[in-house]
Amino acid sequence: MNSSSSTMNEEPDALSVVNQLRDLAADPLNRRAIVQDQGCLPGLILFMDHPNPPVVHSALLALRYLAECRANREKMKGELGMMLSLQNVIQNLGNLWELVMDREAWFLGPQRIGHV
């Protein structure tokens, strides 16, 4: 693939990567392996701070799928940047949060993340 413009290539690359992770996380058989991988969870956390809302949306969906596996929750909560990035998403994209997250299934619960 030829690189005509770095900005044109960055957006589709971020979106395609996060969409692939989301699709993998949708399968319950993949969830533990994704969280144990050295790069997947930190990458999803970085995607939560991405300026493109569809990238953030896909990252949140992937994280929700991963959190549905109880064995993943403690590692996810302890991952560097997870809590801060979630708080930033809630503050900056509150409406998206409401649409994407079923807080009863989410591992943090509203009282743990400063729900307003």
Side-chain angles (χ1 to χ4, degrees), residues 90-110:
I90 292 166
Q91 289 170 357
N92 297 329
L93 302 170
N95 291 336
L96 177 62
W97 173 264
E98 294 296 328
L99 292 172
V100 173
M101 298 299 159
D102 171 10
R103 278 185 250 143
E104 297 305 317
W106 189 244
F107 67 92
L108 299 174

Side-chain angles (χ1 to χ4, degrees), residues 69-105:
C69 175
R70 288 188 183 273
N72 288 342
R73 293 177 186 176
E74 284 304 311
K75 180 165 175 45
M76 290 176 71
K77 284 194 281 190
E79 189 69 29
L80 183 65
M82 174 69 82
M83 302 304 284
L84 181 61
S85 291
L86 281 173
Q87 287 174 341
N88 288 338
V89 167
I90 292 166
Q91 289 170 357
N92 297 329
L93 302 170
N95 291 336
L96 177 62
W97 173 264
E98 294 296 328
L99 292 172
V100 173
M101 298 299 159
D102 171 10
R103 278 185 250 143
E104 297 305 317

Side-chain angles (χ1 to χ4, degrees), residues 1-51:
M1 179 161 41
N2 95 10
S3 171
S4 61
S5 164
S6 66
T7 56
M8 282 189 69
N9 288 334
E10 287 175 25
E11 291 296 322
D13 288 347
L15 190 56
S16 67
V17 169
V18 76
N19 283 344
Q20 287 177 349
L21 285 170
R22 180 204 60 212
D23 293 346
L24 288 169
D27 183 345
L29 297 176
N30 293 330
R31 292 175 184 165
R32 289 193 73 175
I34 291 169
V35 170
Q36 295 305 317
D37 183 86
Q38 294 288 331
C40 290
L41 190 54
L44 286 169
I45 292 168
L46 290 174
F47 284 133
M48 283 195 290
D49 296 324
H50 199 278

